[in-house]
């Protein structure tokens, strides 16, 4: 039987209604979750995921804008009128496998599922209560690389949005079911080409300019710099082209490098230091160098006003969510040092990829991490074990619960103009 709940519903009534909605949509959500997980697609090529999600929403009576904002695998669906606007992001891009093809090693199928669920539940609550307010589901491709949300920000997808919500799966976080305000790192990457001069490596090596030497010198310069970097900064690189054959002095050699830091400003400083290492390497080998920087992913700015509602709703469901990691660092004992170290390690570890960071510099937003059951030995996202774990029914049920928590937070933002204002005030003061 359809229950109608009043506009000023208490949290208990909202939770009951969401449980009903979750029961109604569970089969559809499990199907779309399996479709996405079973057909992993790379960034900007998430055609099946796009079509499957749009198809589901259309079958439920929603008007969907496919290929939204000029991005072929983005989409948008809106519901409701007036009031505030809450938006959920559905990610669905996959990662390349070591062996062949692609797999959902970051579990973005679960991000899609929890956000679709949150949209359907919030829309259901708007219908039932008749409140003024709008909810949006954005299909946001190309998170792992490509910066899909940067395209969407620039195209105006978040203009007029009061809050952007999504959640990301993770492996074990110190025995909690999740964390509402993870700390994350800003990241940028650079492709580096060193141009030297080829020569016969035995007959006339002195006639060559060795581009591989520039790579090796750069790599070593960075290795030395690393000792002087703060704990919050990370640099990692690969040699993507070290030459053609041993008997040819390499005239071209290439590297790819990622740099991460706690804030945008710190990242900028780090990137300048790295450029010093790179130019030093080039100069030592006598090479010319060409740098192609990517678009930076900013650090995540958690909106604690919104996150608090999410934390409370997850806890009300019996899920042990940490609000933020500092909750875990109390007092000053020698045991405290151990706890601090573990927490710092955990949040650095959590930061694998979070393009929502850029969104949260524009508008209030949250990006909680939620734990999915992983078999022993899975070291975290971006591994084959995590790809497998992201496809299980147990992980789907975690995502479904997170979808409920996001919907409760989203609904509260729409139903309570004061909460909305508080979230904006916090955003303005950051
Ligand atoms: Zn990832
Ligand atoms: Zn991810």
């Amino acid at each position: 039987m359809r229950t109608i709940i009043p506009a000023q519903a208490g949290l208990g009534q909202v939770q009951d209604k969401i449980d009903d909605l979750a029961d109604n949509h569970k089969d559809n959500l499990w199907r779309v979750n399996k479709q996405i997980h079973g057909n992993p697609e790379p960034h900007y090529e998430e055609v099946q995921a796009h079509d499957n999600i749009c198809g589901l929403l259309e079958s439920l009576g929603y008007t969907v804008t496919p290929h939204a904002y000029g991005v072929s695998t983005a989409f948008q669906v809106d519901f409701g009128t007036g009031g505030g606007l809450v938006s959920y992001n559905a990610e669905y891009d996959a990662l390349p496998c070591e062996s062949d093809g692609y797999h959902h090693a970051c579990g973005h199928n679960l991000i899609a599922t929890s956000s679709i669920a949150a949209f359907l539940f919030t829309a259901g609550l708007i219908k039932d209560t008749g409140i003024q307010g709008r909810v949006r589901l954005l299909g946001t491709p190309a998170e792992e690389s490509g910066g899909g949300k940067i395209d969407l920000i620039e195209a105006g997808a978040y203009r007029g949005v009061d809050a952007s919500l999504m959640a990301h799966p993770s492996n074990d976080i110190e025995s909690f079911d999740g964390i509402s305000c993870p700390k994350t790192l800003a990241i940028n990457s650079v492709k580096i080409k060193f141009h030297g001069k080829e020569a016969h490596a035995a007959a006339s090596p002195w006639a060559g300019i060795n581009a591989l030497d520039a790579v090796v010198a750069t790599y070593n310069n960075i290795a030395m710099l690393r000792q002087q970097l703060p704990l919050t900064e990370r640099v990692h690189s690969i040699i993507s082209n070290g030459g053609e054959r041993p008997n040819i002095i390499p005239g071209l050699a290439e590297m790819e490098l990622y740099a991460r830091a706690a804030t945008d400003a710190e990242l900028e400083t780090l990137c300048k230091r790295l450029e010093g290492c790179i130019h030093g390497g080039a100069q030592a080998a006598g090479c010319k160098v060409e740098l192609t920087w990517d678009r930076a992913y900013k650090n995540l700015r958690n909106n604690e006003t919104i996150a608090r509602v999410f934390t409370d709703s997850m806890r009300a469901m019996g899920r042990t969510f940490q609000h933020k990691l500092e909750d875990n660092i109390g007092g000053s004992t020698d045991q405290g040092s151990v706890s601090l170290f573990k927490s710092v390690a955990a949040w650095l570890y959590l930061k694998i990829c979070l393009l929502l960071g850029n969104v949260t510099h524009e508008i209030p937003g949250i990006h909680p991490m939620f734990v999915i059951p992983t078999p022993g030995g899975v070291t975290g996202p971006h591994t084959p074990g995590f790809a497998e774990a992201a496809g299980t029914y147990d992980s789907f049920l975690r995502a479904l619960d997170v979808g409920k928590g996001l919907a409760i937070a989203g609904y509260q933002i729409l139903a309570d103009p004061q909460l909305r204002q508080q979230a904006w005030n916090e955003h303005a003061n950051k």
Side-chain angles (χ1 to χ4, degrees):
M1 195 177 70
R2 188 176 162 84
T3 50
I4 306 292
I5 61 175
Q8 293 310 315
L11 190 57
Q13 283 172 292
V14 171
Q15 275 168 340
D16 288 348
K17 176 66 192 172
I18 286 185
D19 284 342
D20 288 350
L21 289 162
D23 287 344
N24 293 345
H25 288 298
K26 198 185 230 176
D27 292 347
N28 280 331
L29 290 166
W30 171 235
R31 191 171 64 249
V32 82
N33 184 72
K34 273 199 299 186
Q35 285 169 334
I36 300 169
H37 186 265
N39 299 288
E41 299 163 297
H43 66 283
Y44 290 125
E45 294 176 31
E46 310 93 333
V47 176
Q48 294 181 70
H50 169 277
D51 292 352
N52 284 325
I53 300 169
C54 291
L56 169 64
L57 293 164
E58 278 164 359
S59 76
L60 294 171
Y62 293 99
T63 305
V64 182
T65 305
H67 323 298
Y69 299 101
V71 180
S72 66
T73 51
F75 68 85
Q76 179 173 306
V77 52
D78 287 339
F79 182 79
T81 51
L85 172 58
V86 163
S87 180
Y88 302 105
N89 291 322
E91 291 178 4
Y92 30 73
D93 57 330
L95 285 159
C97 287
E98 273 293 305
S99 48
D100 193 22
Y102 292 84
H103 60 171
H104 272 289
C106 211
H108 289 188
N109 57 299
L110 297 169
I111 297 179
T113 298
S114 55
S115 284
I116 300 165
F119 169 81
L120 293 173
F121 303 163
T122 311
L125 284 165
I126 293 173
K127 274 183 213 170
D128 250 40
T129 58
I131 64 161
Q132 291 287 297
R134 292 156 295 146
V135 60
R136 169 172 297 170
L137 179 65
L138 267 179
T140 58
E143 194 280 339
E144 289 292 353
S145 59
K149 290 189 198 67
I150 300 174
D151 295 333
L152 295 176
I153 290 168
E154 289 171 356
Y158 295 93
R159 216 168 285 148
V161 175
D162 288 299
S164 175
L165 290 77
M166 63 178 291
H168 197 297
S170 173
N171 60 320
D172 185 35
I173 306 172
E174 299 186 358
S175 309
F176 292 103
D177 286 333
I179 175 161
S180 301
C181 298
K183 286 188 178 176
T184 73
L185 302 177
I187 179 173
N188 205 346
S189 63
V190 61
K191 289 192 166 79
I192 311 159
K193 281 186 182 179
F194 294 100
H195 298 278
K197 190 177 166 192
E198 290 177 352
H200 195 294
S204 54
W206 48 82
I209 298 173
N210 194 327
L212 179 60
D213 282 353
V215 164
V216 172
T218 298
Y219 194 91
N220 287 330
N221 289 344
I222 292 168
M224 286 186 280
L225 173 68
R226 202 174 272 120
Q227 191 187 4
Q228 267 59 57
L229 295 180
L231 270 175
T232 48
E233 294 184 3
R234 291 287 185 275
V235 183
H236 21 256
S237 60
I238 57 164
I239 298 172
S240 44
N241 174 10
E244 294 298 323
R245 297 172 69 108
N247 63 357
I248 303 170
I249 298 292
L252 173 69
E254 295 166 275
M255 289 179 79
E256 279 184 51
L257 184 153
Y258 286 12
R260 303 175 198 249
T263 66
D264 298 353
E266 285 166 31
L267 180 64
E268 215 175 306
T269 305
L270 173 62
C271 290
K272 284 203 180 90
R273 294 176 85 179
L274 292 170
E275 285 199 351
C277 294
I278 297 162
H279 289 296
Q283 198 174 0
C287 289
K288 290 199 172 72
V289 64
E290 200 185 325
L291 304 181
T292 309
W293 285 98
D294 200 353
R295 301 189 288 185
Y297 286 22
K298 297 178 179 178
N299 58 300
L300 184 66
R301 289 172 60 181
N302 296 295
N303 190 288
E304 289 196 34
T305 307
I306 301 170
R308 176 50 69 189
V309 184
F310 174 78
T311 305
D312 290 347
S313 62
M314 292 310 293
R315 287 179 180 170
M317 274 182 260
R319 295 289 189 194
T320 56
F321 260 68
Q322 277 284 81
H323 185 60
K324 50 184 183 176
L325 281 168
E326 283 86 344
D327 288 1
N328 203 27
I329 308 170
S332 302
T333 74
D334 55 354
Q335 181 63 11
S337 308
V338 175
S339 166
L340 175 64
F341 174 74
K342 277 179 72 185
S343 294
V344 170
W347 76 256
L348 289 173
Y349 186 67
L350 284 171
K351 186 48 248 99
I352 305 199
C353 50
L354 286 181
L355 184 45
L356 192 75
N358 293 56
V359 177
T360 60
H361 285 248
E362 306 291 322
I363 56 172
I366 60 167
H367 189 298
M369 307 291 294
F370 63 96
V371 171
I372 60 169
T374 48
V378 172
T379 52
H382 292 208
T383 63
F386 196 82
E388 203 178 321
T392 65
Y393 193 68
D394 281 348
S395 295
F396 162 74
L397 292 179
R398 300 285 181 113
L400 193 64
D401 269 5
V402 168
K404 294 179 189 177
L406 292 173
I408 290 171
Y411 175 75
Q412 296 291 108
I413 293 162
L414 297 179
D416 183 351
Q418 280 183 339
L419 182 73
R420 206 153 69 230
Q421 190 55 49
Q422 203 182 321
W424 272 111
N425 291 346
E426 182 191 326
H427 182 78
N429 291 329
K430 283 206 164 164

